[in-house]
Amino acid sequence: MSDEPALQEAAAALRDSARPVIFTGAGMSAESGIPTFRGGKDSLWSRWKPEELATPMAFQRDRTLVWGWYVYRMAQLATVQPHAGHWALAELQARWTALTVVTQNVDDLHERAGSSRVLHLHGELMKLRCSVCNRPFTGFDVPALETMEPGQRLEPPRCGHCDGFIRPGVVWFGESLPTKTWARAEAAIRGCDLLLVVGTSGQVEPAASLVGLARRGGARVILVDPDESAHAGQADLHLRGGAGAVLAGLRDAL
Ligand code: OAD
């Protein structure tokens, strides 16, 4: 857990902030039981190859492998809950009513905890759509996690309009971020006076560039991460600890 003086200093900075923005990555969801992408033997990209699972080419080449992998993640998401850190961030809205959460996460744990302005830079796992005509696809029955194996192949459903294959609502490598969401995230971060960065390694652009954008605009940057992150050098304060305990502690110290 982060040291107490640093937590108190962060709480004071947050108290003084008129327009804070939250920026989260996979580490935010780790304590809910969703694996991160990097770091540790259980991280997704240490067990799987992103080029075989997270690109439009991969889906064209081997759609049953890709769809099965994402359905496994959907099934996993259905079994987990927000943790104390998600609830603490949502509670900050009582003080900053327009608080924006910019997230790289494709889960809905911020929303489930009650955060109402959440910008998903990398899409949303459960917002299924047609890979050809892009129409939303609803009514997919996510199988129970215990009936699935990691790496299990599944045939994706077909679009009722054009018969195209259905894909998960995430942004794959090589694809553009959703334009309006990105514009809103940039605007929020340009206008913020404090950026609270939680659980992101800072390895993936353009999302990672948002921290530099905040700094250039004069915002203070507070990082919550138990380990190193490419953002450590950009942070005014680094609270070294897990998101659950640190964010709950920060809320309590306000
Ligand atoms: P990463 O998996 O790259 O980084 C996770 C970060 O969370 C690391 O810095 C960890 O030290 C930190 N961490 C681990 N446990 C934590 C905890 N309990 N509390 C707080 N922090 C913790 O995740 P991202 O930076 O989000 O993209 O990855 C960025 C993008 O890479 C993802 O959105 C995904 C991936 O490829 C797409 O799918 C497009």
Side-chain angles (χ1 to χ4, degrees):
M1 172 56 184
S2 174
D3 63 298
E4 190 59 24
L7 188 76
Q8 291 301 333
E9 196 181 335
L14 189 54
R15 249 191 325 265
D16 286 348
S17 164
R19 296 175 311 281
V21 167
I22 318 291
F23 178 47
T24 65
M28 180 75 219
S29 301
E31 289 160 60
S32 288
I34 299 181
T36 59
F37 291 93
R38 300 171 187 82
K41 63 175 176 33
D42 293 329
S43 64
L44 292 176
W45 296 153
S46 67
R47 301 177 60 199
W48 308 94
K49 291 193 174 122
E51 61 277 17
E52 288 176 5
L53 294 164
T55 73
M57 281 292 291
F59 189 61
Q60 268 180 20
R61 211 169 36 228
D62 196 346
R63 65 176 180 271
T64 61
L65 179 74
V66 173
W67 179 251
W69 190 73
Y70 280 97
V71 172
Y72 186 84
R73 289 178 59 198
M74 292 176 209
Q76 194 172 45
L77 178 56
T79 67
V80 304
Q81 300 296 333
H83 61 66
H86 291 103
W87 297 106
L89 289 182
E91 282 176 41
L92 298 182
Q93 285 182 156
R95 194 166 181 144
W96 295 276
T97 50
L99 186 71
T100 299
V101 177
V102 178
T103 187
Q104 296 164 82
N105 298 342
V106 297
D107 62 58
D108 59 351
L109 294 176
H110 284 301
E111 288 92 335
R112 283 200 236 160
S115 285
S116 50
R117 289 180 181 230
V118 186
L119 299 176
H120 287 273
L121 297 180
H122 294 162
E124 291 173 74
L125 190 57
M126 293 309 305
K127 293 260 165 80
L128 308 181
R129 65 174 197 271
C130 174
S131 61
V132 177
C133 72
N134 271 325
R135 280 192 176 87
F137 181 84
T138 52
F140 178 66
D141 271 331
V142 178
L145 186 60
E146 58 273 17
T147 66
M148 290 197 73
E149 297 285 335
Q152 183 179 334
R153 289 169 177 277
L154 285 175
E155 182 71 3
R158 313 284 289 238
C159 173
H161 297 275
C162 76
D163 208 34
F165 290 109
I166 299 305
R167 57 166 286 176
V170 303
V171 175
W172 279 329
F173 287 104
E175 294 183 319
S176 304
L177 270 50
T179 317
K180 279 190 194 152
T181 305
W182 176 252
R184 288 174 63 198
E186 270 193 324
I189 284 177
R190 253 196 208 105
C192 79
D193 58 5
L194 183 147
L195 187 66
L196 183 60
V197 180
V198 187
T200 174
S201 61
Q203 303 288 318
V204 175
E205 296 291 357
S209 71
L210 291 172
V211 179
L213 184 67
R215 277 200 75 83
R216 288 194 296 283
R220 296 189 77 171
V221 174
I222 298 175
L223 178 64
V224 179
D225 200 306
D227 297 316
E228 278 315 317
S229 151
H231 296 309
Q234 296 170 297
D236 297 290
L237 270 172
H238 183 173
L239 305 179
R240 287 182 182 272
V246 173
L247 295 174
L250 199 53
R251 181 228 20 230
D252 293 345
L254 280 178

